[in-house]
Amino acid sequence: APVLISILLGASFRRYQVEESVEHLLAPTHSLAKIERNLVDSLFPVNRSKHRHYSDLQTPGRYGRVIITSFRKANMLDQHHTDLILKLHSAVTRIQVQRPGFNYTFAHICILNNDKTCIVDDIVHVLEELKAARSSNRTNFAITYPITHLKDGREVYNGHQLGGVTVHSKDRVKSAEAIQLTYYLQAINSLNDMVAEKWESIFCDTVELFQKSNRKVKMYPFTSSSLKEDFQKTSRVSERYLITGLVLVVTLAILCCSMQDCVRSKPWLGLLGLLTVTLATLTAAGIINLTGGKYNSTFLGIPFVMLGHGLYGTFEMLSSWRKTREDQHVKERTAAVFADSMLSFSLTTAMYLVTFGIGASPFTNIEAARIFCCNSCIAIFFNYLYVLSFYGSSLVFTGYIENNYQHSIFCRKVPKPEVLQEKPAWYRFLLTAKFSEDTADSEETNTYESHLLVWFLKRYYCDWITNTYVKPFVVLFYLVYISFALMGYLQVSEGSDLSNIVATATRTIEYTTAQQKYFSNYSPVIGFYIYESIEYWNTSVQEDVLEYTKGFVRISWFESYLNYLRKLNISTGLPKKNFTDMLRNSFLKAPQFAHFSEDIIFSKKYNNEVDVVASRMFLVAKTMETKREELYDLLETLRKLSLTSKVKFIVFNPSFVYMDRYASSVGAPLQNSCISALFLLFFSAFLVADSLINVWLTLTVASVEFGVIGFMTLWKVELDCISVLCLIYGINYTIDNCAPLLSTFVLGKEFTRTKWVKNALEVHGVAILQSYLCYIVGLIPLAAVPSNLTRTLFRCLFLIALVTFFHCFAILPVILTFLPPSKKKRKEKKNPENREEIECVEMVDMDSTRVVDQITTV
């Protein structure tokens, strides 16, 4: 049934869709910045601000962008490079997009200026004037930074168009190592958007072709589609690495379940355990497809979530099978396995469903995290059902094979030892097995002890880790672990940089690196929007507006704008109606304020009086190189000012959509999952036999999560969507591995703590070791994937597995030997009068040679 269900649901992959909106996935769903963007769009529906600044002030839209620099750090303003850049500009504007019946060029799809010409970066006009000055041998033309003046008297900002600038006195540019050009496109309807998208693709090809013919310069093209394409590229570049990992996991799973004894070896169960996990994941993917869900690259983490949980459950069942008596019927042995292992597996599955279920709830503000948790919940639920049905049935089949002394791989009847003696050596090696009648009744031996991992734990490791001389070193090592974890925990940083979720050898990474290197001196242009009708002619209002912008504005025309308002008011003394008329006319006529001509919305009233209902200005903050945190601080500062200001204003830039409350949004799933996990542990304390199990489990989870957060920070992993999802999984992975160990130890009576530590390791250590080895082997190829997303995934999952393994096999076995609960020896005196009489009845099954011992107490 599980196989049929998986095949039927897997057929839904013909409806396979990819989520293309990165903002929908990674920006906080409920964000103040999105509300502000809607307000800005309603106030200024026509976004012509792009001809003044390198900026996407309202919506990113469609665009092509390129950074031109030199391998030798040459001056990009010299004659050779100036001619080269203008030649590239000419080639870009001649790009044609062929459609049936018409060829679109840049002039057909560009954003138009007021004079119906294409908006082109002012740096192009600067370079053209520089070229004209050189051709006429004029030496008085100078470029200033970050504000310069054109021949027509316009004042233009070039802070985001000139990079790596060296200046003389009075801000005169001596040289510039990089130049950035941007070409904005219209996307007002579906046809226009399709043409613009095709233009972007040709734009990148044109730039790359241009560079091949000019190898002394380096060009970094980037478009509005680059981030989306590079985000999904992770899935494509990961395919062969994931296949390699799958092959390695299959191989190791088979080896971990194999023994030299050909009857008791269980290689098929290792393979079928992995197949169980695969079927559950395929079923979940089919359900997501049928319900209209879309695939994205974050789903690459789901197979590893399933691998850690599913394989441990199957290995734990196999470990329980090894503890059953071989002379029991298969039904009895299977019942013993389910009674021994499925209770803990059910509880850990419930923990997965609760923690990931909270992450899949509407409380999660990051859509990528919510979809990931939802898909994980479905996969884990079906994995539980498939372990009960598919894997349980497989265990029964192999049980019958073992009881009939058939070969574990070829299912052929294994001949008796005396028959094997007549066969060749290779034949005897392949059919090596120990028969039950070979062992004397007085010998208490377990035929499964020849398993390599069982033998290693029982004979060597358990005695070594509980040795008195080893314990101090383990405690010292744990203190070192806590110290480094604390050091990393205090340096945790938030990661909202979108380059962290794309493939490495892509345009996004190359462009972002160049942009941060050459153009990070100034923050993105921030729109300052006043959305109420205020008395602009009132001097006190002008002072109020200016007051709340001082202190964080480094480069701005805003103060000049207010000074101009004062001059108008002082020099004319006009009433409101005449003042607003003059204000409108003056902005349209004055060349030094031409950049504000469209930033004021005038509204006519019934008596033909003109009023200013909204206005906007643009701010550019001075920032340090590669200090992204300063932009966060600036956003918070501006937000606080907008709440306390007497003037109603908002600030906006499209990047704020990703930054707005990002820390609280991305941390919410982890916080909610931790709370739900603690609640479940507290509630189950009343159901389990001993509440100390949950106390120890809570402390262990806290220790593991604290260590993972600290070490991932030291490993340069930021707290972003991917790392938070891994931390949620880390809670469950720790409970998966540590809960059986702690339960066996705490519930053990009599003997000593050391004895019960050894017993817990012998009973559950093999399953933990098997799943850990398979998990690590599956993770290793992920480290080679050329993607930042998989790099974060690998580092977080590797740390979770390593730290949990360290706790299971070192910390807990040592600490539990001298901390509660205590194990008091109870020696009960035997009373001769109340002696128990044991009657042993031997029953022989006539249908087979199997002997069943039933012990009856009288």
Side-chain angles (χ1 to χ4, degrees), residues 436-534:
S436 58
E437 53 264 31
D438 296 342
T439 305
D441 294 338
S442 59
E443 294 181 9
E444 295 184 1
T445 180
N446 186 349
T447 53
Y448 284 100
E449 282 189 10
S450 59
H451 190 284
L452 179 62
L453 298 180
V454 176
W455 172 79
F456 169 73
L457 286 175
K458 194 167 186 178
R459 297 292 178 90
Y460 294 100
Y461 188 78
C462 291
D463 292 331
W464 178 79
I465 196 64
T466 54
N467 190 289
T468 307
Y469 300 104
V470 174
K471 293 178 185 179
F473 292 99
V474 174
V475 173
L476 180 63
F477 193 75
Y478 182 70
L479 295 176
V480 173
Y481 158 81
I482 289 294
S483 301
F484 277 93
L486 178 62
M487 182 171 64
Y489 186 83
L490 297 176
Q491 303 176 35
V492 171
S493 60
E494 303 155 12
S496 61
D497 190 352
L498 296 180
S499 62
N500 290 336
I501 51 100
V502 300
T504 51
T506 55
R507 295 191 185 106
T508 300
I509 295 297
E510 293 177 350
Y511 171 81
T512 303
T513 303
Q515 202 276 337
Q516 290 178 350
K517 180 179 180 180
Y518 296 109
F519 301 95
S520 61
N521 290 335
Y522 300 102
S523 73
V525 179
I526 300 170
F528 182 96
Y529 301 86
I530 299 175
Y531 59 94
E532 67 170 340
S533 179
I534 61 174

Side-chain angles (χ1 to χ4, degrees), residues 149 152-156 564 585-597:
H149 294 81
D152 58 5
R154 283 196 301 129
E155 185 182 66
V156 297
Y564 179 62
N585 295 330
S586 299
F587 268 90
L588 293 174
K589 293 177 181 178
Q592 66 269 35
F593 297 107
H595 43 270
F596 291 112
S597 60

Side-chain angles (χ1 to χ4, degrees), residues 199-376:
W199 189 94
E200 290 178 349
S201 177
I202 300 175
F203 167 78
C204 292
D205 296 338
T206 301
V207 171
E208 290 171 356
L209 185 64
F210 192 84
Q211 183 180 348
K212 288 181 180 179
S213 58
N214 299 275
R215 297 188 178 277
K216 292 185 179 181
V217 295
K218 177 62 178 174
M219 300 182 183
Y220 304 93
F222 186 78
T223 68
S224 64
S225 304
S226 296
L227 180 62
K228 174 191 68 177
E229 294 169 357
D230 297 342
F231 175 62
Q232 300 300 347
K233 187 179 179 181
T234 297
S235 302
R236 297 193 297 272
V237 299
S238 301
E239 289 176 357
R240 61 190 182 95
Y241 297 97
L242 291 176
I243 292 173
T244 303
L246 179 62
V247 172
L248 292 175
V249 172
V250 169
T251 305
L252 194 60
I254 291 174
L255 292 176
C256 284
C257 298
S258 300
M259 297 170 56
Q260 188 176 1
D261 192 318
C262 67
V263 173
R264 294 162 184 86
S265 181
K266 299 289 185 294
W268 287 116
L269 284 183
L271 179 62
L272 291 169
L274 193 61
L275 182 59
T276 304
V277 175
T278 305
L279 291 176
T281 308
L282 181 62
T283 303
I287 292 175
I288 291 294
N289 286 333
L290 288 175
T291 55
K294 296 181 180 180
Y295 173 84
N296 66 80
S297 292
T298 61
F299 282 12
L300 290 173
I302 293 178
F304 295 98
V305 171
M306 298 299 298
L307 185 66
H309 177 61
L311 274 188
Y312 177 75
T314 57
F315 285 142
E316 188 68 28
M317 291 179 69
L318 186 55
S319 181
S320 298
W321 179 269
R322 296 192 189 102
K323 293 184 292 181
T324 58
R325 291 169 51 198
E326 290 189 0
D327 56 3
Q328 287 181 298
H329 193 272
V330 172
K331 182 186 292 186
E332 296 169 358
R333 296 183 74 179
T334 306
V337 168
F338 275 74
D340 185 44
S341 61
M342 288 310 294
L343 179 61
S344 61
F345 188 67
S346 300
L347 292 175
T348 53
T349 299
M351 184 68 75
Y352 271 92
L353 294 177
V354 169
T355 52
F356 279 114
I358 293 294
S361 68
F363 297 108
T364 300
N365 204 16
I366 302 292
E367 187 67 14
R370 194 190 66 79
I371 296 174
F372 180 95
C373 292
C374 180
N375 204 351
S376 297

